[in-house]
Amino acid sequence: MTAARKLTMAQAIAEAIGQEMERDSTVFVMGEDIAKYGGIFGATGGLLDRFGPERIMDTPISESAFIGAATGAAAEGMRPIAELMFADFFGVCMDQIYNHLAKNTYMSGGSLKLPVVLMTAIGGGYSDAAQHSQCLYGLFAHVPGLKVVVPSNAYDAKGLMIQAIRDDNPVMFFFHKGIMGLPWMAYYEGSTTEVPQDAYTIPFGQARIVREGSDVTIVSLSQMVQKAVLAAAQLEADGIRAEVIDLRTLVPLDVETVLRSVAKTGRLVIADEDYLNFGLSGEIAASIAEHLDRVALKSPVRRLGVPAVPIPYSRPLEQSVIPQVQDIAGACRSMMGVKLARAA
Amino acid sequence: MPPACGAALAAKRLGKDSVAVAFFGEGAANQGTFHESLNLAGLWKLPVIFVCEDNKWAISVDKDHSTAIPCVADRAAAYAMPGIAVARNDALEVFKAAGEAVARARKGGGPTLIEVKTDRYMGHFQGDAEVYRPKGEVDQLRKDDPIPALAGVLRARGLLDDGKDATMHGRVHADVSKAFDFARQSAYPDPREALEHVFA
């Protein structure tokens, strides 16, 4: 394998797409502002010059049309990648996603393969307000028929994107704007990593233990992994050893790695940037509850997520509803002395 | 309609002479996806044919109460493609319009919108009481049924006689009966099959 260099997550995604387009002539990209502009968040930077407008296609502002077209093109033997500029915009095209893309394989009795990658930008933290700041991956993971990938760093993003393009099923690929390494937006340095030049894949359904620890497990994903790592460093100074898990994919979900970790630590904090209610954090907590025969908890499970409010525009208000490093560290500290109620 | 655009795009990219065809009712012509798909197909000159079957009823709402203009085919003008309105229940005109649309698509001429005026004889779903429909409407409409009308044209041209007609009807009845028998005699699926084929 050729030498690694440091890439931003945006560069890593664009490199993955470019390498797959070179390898497979049926791979192409459609989306708004993805050609000349290179994607508003850089996921297709430089690809138009290399592959031309027939394979790097700017679309009209017609998400239903081009995401539905991806489904049709995939059914006819292509491997389309479509970009939904913001996950928040799914409202204008959800029928094409969850009723057509996600269900047609099942409804055809397995005779139809739909190798579509639908990539989209998520997350807040930069005052883009309630309609441009949501994560929403839990909503897509809720619907059967979609694989859901949520990388936290450049290395994973490249391997998971190549895996997504080669998968014969619809894959939703969510990149958080605050870890893409864009020159015009603050981002977490930990997301810019060494990335091998050669193509490689990362299998879906394999969580990564980012940092080992024995006192408390922090389950996270996407940008929240970077926050959890910073929280774990703070906790270490207090003598608390936190284990940080990056789920990497929600569908399929690696429950086993979470169970093994919590069986070791006895404490679980779920750090999520999606809405708290009826979502990922509840799903992980339920998985623990269903396996209390294997896991002995030392304190109740703690969930961090966005409360049931739209993301505010005002910076201090936004910071207060999205879990921050100190919230994760605080949740871990507060668990250490807590005892469970005992059964009668 | 959007997946048909994608199938047409794939045909173009893969160098096939396939043409995608999307069928929909006049009610669906008021969906955003109708307009998005026509724009995309017109813009990218896709080999796709959009066929609007106008039977005037969208469940219980008639076209006069759902559609701002009487002729859906007129909307083609806004999306850089021909819009062909076929007279009610005229199978030969449908054949002609479709043939021209397929030829245009294969020559790189892009999409066509065809609006076919026809009739709906039954309710929209099993158990539809059709309280919204004027009494006797269906009996009137059946007088213009396109199947006997086409048979009449074929007989007049000497292409169909009683013998051929009986053979054709016999074959269709046999095929349908066979399908019914197969369905009735087949076992229901094992409940475990419900979990299969979510993913390829």
Side-chain angles (χ1 to χ4, degrees), chain A residues 57-333:
Chain A
M57 303 177 75
D58 270 334
T59 64
I61 303 177
S62 303
E63 289 85 351
S64 284
F66 75 77
I67 291 171
T71 302
E76 291 299 313
M78 304 287 282
R79 301 187 89 85
I81 301 168
E83 179 170 294
L84 176 64
M85 192 188 289
F86 286 76
D88 312 66
F89 300 170
F90 84 86
V92 297
C93 55
M94 191 58 166
D95 186 54
Q96 292 300 324
I97 300 171
Y98 90 117
N99 269 331
H100 297 272
L101 181 59
K103 290 177 183 163
N104 283 353
T105 297
Y106 187 82
M107 293 183 77
S108 68
S111 63
L112 207 56
K113 285 180 189 167
L114 296 173
V116 173
V117 179
L118 180 51
M119 61 179 178
T120 188
I122 59 168
Y126 63 104
S127 287
D128 213 356
Q131 297 153 332
H132 295 75
S133 298
Q134 301 165 95
C135 282
L136 301 173
Y137 35 67
L139 202 147
F140 293 89
H142 181 68
V143 177
L146 300 169
K147 297 189 180 181
V148 174
V149 178
V150 194
S152 69
N153 64 79
Y155 178 88
D156 284 0
K158 179 173 175 178
L160 290 166
M161 176 54 85
I162 292 175
Q163 181 79 12
I165 295 168
R166 295 181 188 178
D167 198 295
D168 278 338
N169 294 285
V171 179
M172 297 281 302
F173 191 99
F174 295 84
F175 49 79
H176 195 297
K177 289 157 264 173
I179 49 176
M180 288 291 267
L182 300 169
W184 52 277
M185 188 184 293
Y187 62 95
Y188 283 79
E189 285 292 341
S191 58
T192 298
T193 65
E194 289 200 345
V195 177
Q197 283 187 345
D198 288 352
Y200 59 93
T201 57
I202 295 174
F204 295 161
Q206 291 187 8
R208 182 172 71 104
I209 295 172
V210 182
R211 176 192 171 112
E212 290 192 28
S214 52
D215 294 323
V216 56
T217 299
I218 306 171
V219 168
S220 60
L221 72 170
S222 189
Q223 189 195 51
M224 204 58 76
V225 172
Q226 305 302 336
K227 293 181 182 176
V229 166
L230 296 175
Q234 286 183 14
L235 291 164
E236 190 173 28
D238 302 343
I240 300 169
R241 288 157 299 176
E243 180 146 299
V244 177
I245 293 178
D246 179 355
L247 291 172
R248 299 203 286 198
T249 65
L250 299 194
V251 181
L253 181 63
D254 183 2
V255 174
E256 195 53 40
T257 294
V258 176
L259 286 176
R260 273 203 303 270
S261 176
V262 180
K264 177 174 71 175
T265 63
R267 298 181 185 90
L268 172 62
V269 171
I270 304 146
D272 184 18
E273 196 185 311
D274 208 347
Y275 295 119
L276 188 64
N277 295 345
F278 304 96
L280 168 70
S281 61
E283 184 69 27
I284 299 293
S287 300
I288 296 298
E290 285 171 338
H291 291 92
L292 288 174
D293 53 340
R294 285 177 55 191
V295 174
L297 288 176
K298 294 172 184 160
S299 77
V301 171
R302 286 288 305 275
R303 297 190 293 148
L304 302 174
V306 175
V309 294
I311 312 280
Y313 169 78
S314 157
R315 186 62 56 94
L317 296 183
E318 183 186 28
Q319 298 291 312
S320 77
V321 302
I322 295 175
Q324 305 298 334
V325 173
Q326 63 271 22
D327 299 319
I328 302 170
C332 292
R333 283 192 198 97

